[in-house]
Amino acid sequence: MERGRDKGGTRGNGPYRKNVDYDSTLWRKALHKAFPNSGGKRTTVFTTASHVRSLRNRTAHHEPLIGGVPLPGQNDRRGRTRRLTFPDAHTEVLRLVEYIDKDVATWLGQTSRVPELLRTRP
């Protein structure tokens, strides 16, 4: 399943098992308001947030990042796990912040030392 199209799952057991539709129950009712600059598309926010989460998880678990950030569930033409470069990962972080607040994203982009570090230590 394409990760940007994850619309829900199930909850409960046995006769109480029900399908859950995140698009209707969460996104349309509330979450779209948390990302006012996203264009209103859940898949846009979902994809960017998934990329940021992959970076966060690899970093938090002290896993190797040489060769970029692996994006689970996304493969290239050869069937290898697609990877996000560090400059692209930084851009994704700024993009997710921008979906929430453009002014904060601008400030963060202007004060971030990540581009400088990537230039001096590629």
Side-chain angles (χ1 to χ4, degrees), residues 27 31-41 44-45 94-105:
W27 181 256
L31 282 180
H32 71 281
K33 293 175 186 172
F35 303 95
N37 305 312
S38 68
K41 293 188 176 184
T44 300
V45 175
L94 294 176
R95 183 175 293 131
L96 187 60
V97 173
E98 183 178 330
Y99 291 160
I100 298 167
D101 189 309
K102 287 184 178 187
D103 292 335
V104 172

Side-chain angles (χ1 to χ4, degrees), residues 48-66:
T48 304
S50 292
H51 292 169
V52 172
R53 183 182 64 236
S54 293
L55 172 64
R56 179 258 172 223
N57 286 348
R58 297 288 291 201
T59 305
H61 298 151
H62 306 283
E63 295 175 16
L65 293 170
I66 301 297

